[in-house]
Amino acid sequence: MSQDRDHGGGHWPIRSLRRAVAQLAAGACVLPVLIVSVIVLADLAGGAGITWLPMLAAGPALAATTNGPRGVLCVGLLAAALGATLGTRNDVPGSELVAVLSALAAVTLASSLASALRGRRERVLAAVRSVAETAQHALLTPVPATVGPFQVAVRYSAAAAEARIGGDLYALIPTPYGVRLIVGDVRGKGLPAVGTAALVLGIFREAAYDEPDLLAVVDRIERSLARNLGSDDFVTAVVAGYPRAGQLEVVNCGHAPPLLVRGDGSVTAVESTHPAPPLGLRALTDHTPGLQVLPFADSDQLLLYTDGVTEARDRGRAFYPLDEGLARHVSDDPARTLGALHDELLAHVGGRLHDDAALLLIRKPALSEPAVEAEPGGRDLASEAA
């Protein structure tokens, strides 16, 4: 009887090992298996016995970070089989071996539970991402590569990579009064900021079609925000229009100055001649926005952006020099220009932005220029910062 039990016990680690290896080969993470293998090799080389056996628990613990519960159990089973084999080989006392294997089993079960909880959180996060992406498409509709007389490109990156949606806003639409556009930044983060951005864009799209005067468009946005926002909430924005050939109108409400690129490649900031408070705060000051009119000839370009671009810092805490980057990368293709700027911006911050960032570039091509082929939409939603 005792002999049969010993015989079966001698083969149990081998059968268990074979099953575990087969399941691990079906898709378990390689790193936990490598950890277990290194521990086994160290034990075989040093003959330290019980000193190394407790470290086998590192395998299932590490597997919980990348694998599902089944993968964790497979790694734990592999570690237990190898631990039993090594304990027998090194003549580890039975009570000590049982204690080690019991601890290994406890770690494996706890790691399996942690893996199951992690998987549940990942599924919830995937659902949140799906909803956020749908909201993103509804809020920031794709901008065509050509709108009216302009070539257009947009780049948008949300700092909240898990949700892929942020508080920056942009829109560019043709109207009976020429092409009109807006770029803005809502104070705050999360769903309240998204709701405010949706409100601003909805009012802008309606008012841009209805109001002949660009200042009237801004006034309608201001009145609506004054009714709907809290006392501490506001939106910085630049609203621009192209009412007639060669002329660009700009209204700046507490936002970063746009960058104007002339046909010769020179870059200048369009500083506001009539400084105005952000939208939603006009009642607190005596300043009202004024209309700034700029000459805008063939081959000229205008870049609007949010402070997530200019306030992006590198490891030395230096801000990203957007004007210098634009001068380096400006081209006749807005999509290529913004692509180079965006790549340089991510390299500057080390791969992940800490604030939402939006870039919108328009260019007035000369009539003699051939049509530029560009990808529809010309936009890139934010999954790169992640």
Side-chain angles (χ1 to χ4, degrees):
M1 187 77 172
S2 176
Q3 207 171 14
D4 292 340
R5 190 162 52 243
D6 291 343
H7 179 76
H11 283 79
W12 174 82
I14 298 176
R15 293 197 303 271
S16 300
L17 179 60
R18 288 174 178 172
R19 287 197 299 269
V21 170
Q23 294 187 46
L24 288 167
C29 185
V30 174
L31 185 57
V33 179
L34 290 178
I35 294 295
V36 172
S37 301
V38 168
I39 295 171
V40 171
L41 291 176
D43 185 275
L44 292 174
I50 193 65
T51 303
W52 290 98
L53 292 184
M55 296 185 64
L56 290 171
L62 181 60
T65 64
T66 56
N67 286 44
R70 179 175 295 182
V72 175
L73 291 174
C74 288
V75 175
L77 182 59
L78 174 64
L82 292 173
T85 302
L86 291 175
T88 303
R89 174 183 177 273
N90 295 325
D91 296 324
V92 175
S95 59
E96 295 183 5
L97 182 58
V98 169
V100 170
L101 295 179
S102 298
L104 180 58
V107 171
T108 300
L109 292 176
S111 299
S112 298
L113 178 59
S115 175
L117 293 176
R118 178 184 55 80
R120 181 179 179 183
R121 288 194 299 269
E122 288 179 349
R123 289 190 294 272
V124 171
L125 180 57
V128 171
R129 282 178 172 173
S130 177
V131 172
E133 287 176 351
T134 302
Q136 184 82 69
H137 284 285
L139 179 63
L140 302 177
T141 55
V143 174
T146 302
V147 178
F150 297 119
Q151 297 170 274
V152 182
V154 173
R155 284 274 175 161
Y156 179 87
S157 295
E162 292 79 7
R164 295 181 182 171
I165 191 166
D168 289 2
L169 59 95
Y170 62 83
L172 186 146
I173 54 176
T175 75
Y177 312 105
V179 174
R180 287 175 168 174
L181 58 149
I182 183 173
V183 169
D185 188 357
V186 179
R187 177 188 177 276
K189 302 292 180 186
L191 291 179
V194 173
T196 301
L199 176 63
V200 171
L201 289 175
I203 301 167
F204 170 77
R205 289 174 178 137
E206 288 295 324
Y209 275 93
D210 296 342
E211 302 290 348
D213 187 354
L214 192 65
L215 283 174
V217 176
V218 177
D219 288 341
R220 280 181 57 172
I221 299 174
E222 174 66 33
R223 290 196 300 271
S224 180
L225 291 182
R227 291 193 303 268
N228 292 282
L229 292 188
S231 58
D232 296 331
D233 297 327
F234 59 85
V235 180
T236 67
V238 172
V239 182
Y242 189 74
R244 60 190 63 87
Q247 192 175 90
L248 192 69
E249 298 177 343
V250 178
V251 180
N252 193 327
C253 298
H255 200 74
L259 295 179
L260 181 63
V261 184
R262 293 300 183 188
D264 60 3
S266 61
V267 178
T268 57
V270 182
E271 299 291 348
S272 178
T273 56
H274 302 85
L279 295 167
L281 298 181
R282 190 185 302 180
L284 303 178
T285 70
D286 295 330
H287 297 285
T288 57
L291 191 69
Q292 191 170 357
V293 180
L294 307 172
F296 202 72
D298 289 350
S299 300
D300 286 351
Q301 304 184 52
L302 186 73
L303 176 66
L304 290 87
Y305 54 93
T306 59
D307 59 9
V309 179
T310 52
E311 294 182 1
R313 297 173 182 258
D314 62 11
R315 292 183 178 178
R317 308 301 293 168
F319 293 110
Y320 175 66
L322 179 59
D323 53 348
E324 298 175 11
L326 181 59
R328 280 193 299 271
H329 299 296
V330 67
S331 69
D332 293 342
D333 181 3
R336 186 166 70 247
T337 301
L338 288 196
L341 275 177
H342 189 264
D343 292 344
E344 187 173 90
L345 176 63
L346 291 181
H348 180 81
V349 299
R352 183 184 177 94
L353 293 170
H354 298 287
D355 194 7
D356 306 326
L359 294 160
L360 188 153
L361 179 63
I362 62 172
R363 179 178 182 271
K364 177 65 171 63
L367 295 177
S368 59
E369 291 184 23
V372 177
E373 294 293 332
E375 294 183 2
R379 67 195 289 257
D380 185 2
L381 292 179
S383 293
E384 307 95 348

